[in-house]
């Protein structure tokens, strides 16, 4: 769909970003790193990008959004925003995995002869990870994994690391005897790269379901003091 007009945005990681793609080029883009606040920032950023590109809502043919893994709240914000725009404008929404989007932003010259390992900060002792061959073909599915389990989960050979996650992963891989280098690519999703990926994807059919989130574990929940969730009933468990 390189000849169409596409809006791409991300709120699943440590920030939010948006880009407007038309006829094989990015007309406008913006990004901001933030630990929280994506709910307030994302829509104004999208509208600013549309204004900068001189594109109206009615000019859009499709939109794209990251589906995670990432921050639970950020993933939900991005997908809810995508659903709202898609329904209001009557256009399809394309879901792109966050790990694949970061992988696509890496330099093919750096990937040559190495497995690309994308790591996303999971804010725990583990990381979200996925491996890719030099041609960006995935090696397995996204996973939430502790650093000491990474070596056994990856193909043999040298590694190129990308993304903002670590949690000791690089040190653990070096301790396991791996040759490891860090990619010079952006550590977060680049909106222009996201738009490029979505432009190469087929448009969803009208009756296809909306993009679904990629959750690799339950959300972190802190219960108020003295409160515990009720045990599920037989009906709830069905």
């Amino acid at each position: 769909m390189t000849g169409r007009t596409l809006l791409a945005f991300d709120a699943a990681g440590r920030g939010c970003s948006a880009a407007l793609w038309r006829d094989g080029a990015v007309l406008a883009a913006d990004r901001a790193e933030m630990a929280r606040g994506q709910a307030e920032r994302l829509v104004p950023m999208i509208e600013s990008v549309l204004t900068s590109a001189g594109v109206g809502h009615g000019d859009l043919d499709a939109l794209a959004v990251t589906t995670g893994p990432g921050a639970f709240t950020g993933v939900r914000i991005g997908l809810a925003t995508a659903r709202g725009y898609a329904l209001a404008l009557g256009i399809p929404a394309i879901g792109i995995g966050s790990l694949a989007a970061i992988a696509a932003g890496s330099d093919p010259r750096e990937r040559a002869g190495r497995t690309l390992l994308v790591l996303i900060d999971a804010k725990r002792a583990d990381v979200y990870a996925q491996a890719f061959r030099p041609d960006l073909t995935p090696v397995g599915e996204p996973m939430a994994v502790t650093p000491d389990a990474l070596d056994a989960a990856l193909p043999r050979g040298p590694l190129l690391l990308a993304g903002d996650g670590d949690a000791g992963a690089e040190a653990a891989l070096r301790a396991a005897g791996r040759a490891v280098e860090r990619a010079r690519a952006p550590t977060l999703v680049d909106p222009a790269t996201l738009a490029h990926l979505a432009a190469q994807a087929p448009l969803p059919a009208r009756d296809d379901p909306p993009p679904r989130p990629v959750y690799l574990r339950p959300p972190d929940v802190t219960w108020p003091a003295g409160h515990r969730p009720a045990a599920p009933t037989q009906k709830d468990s069905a």
Side-chain angles (χ1 to χ4, degrees), residues 132-219:
F132 299 83
R133 297 185 178 90
D135 65 356
L136 297 183
T137 303
V139 181
E141 298 295 321
M143 54 187 169
V145 60
T146 57
D148 58 0
L150 265 174
D151 179 57
L154 298 172
R156 306 312 305 168
L159 300 170
L160 179 68
L161 304 188
D164 69 343
D166 190 280
E170 182 173 350
L173 289 166
R174 291 186 185 278
R178 294 286 191 138
V180 178
E181 287 192 28
R182 277 276 173 182
R184 294 189 293 269
T187 58
L188 303 179
V189 172
D190 174 63
T193 301
L194 180 64
H196 176 78
L197 281 177
Q200 314 310 312
L203 280 178
R206 183 175 296 273
D207 57 349
D208 282 353
R212 298 182 60 83
V214 177
Y215 296 140
L216 300 183
R217 67 180 188 212

Side-chain angles (χ1 to χ4, degrees), residues 42-116:
L42 181 59
V43 170
M45 178 181 287
I46 288 171
E47 294 301 314
S48 175
V49 165
L50 290 172
T51 299
S52 297
V55 170
H57 296 104
D59 299 321
L60 295 174
D61 296 303
L63 57 86
V65 63
T66 45
T67 57
F72 182 82
T73 301
V75 171
R76 292 184 64 184
I77 290 167
L79 290 174
T81 302
R83 182 168 177 78
Y85 273 95
L87 288 174
L89 301 176
I91 58 176
I94 301 165
I96 304 289
S98 302
L99 292 156
I102 294 173
S106 62
D107 189 329
R109 294 168 296 184
E110 286 191 292
R111 298 195 304 264
R114 292 186 274 199
T115 296
L116 173 65

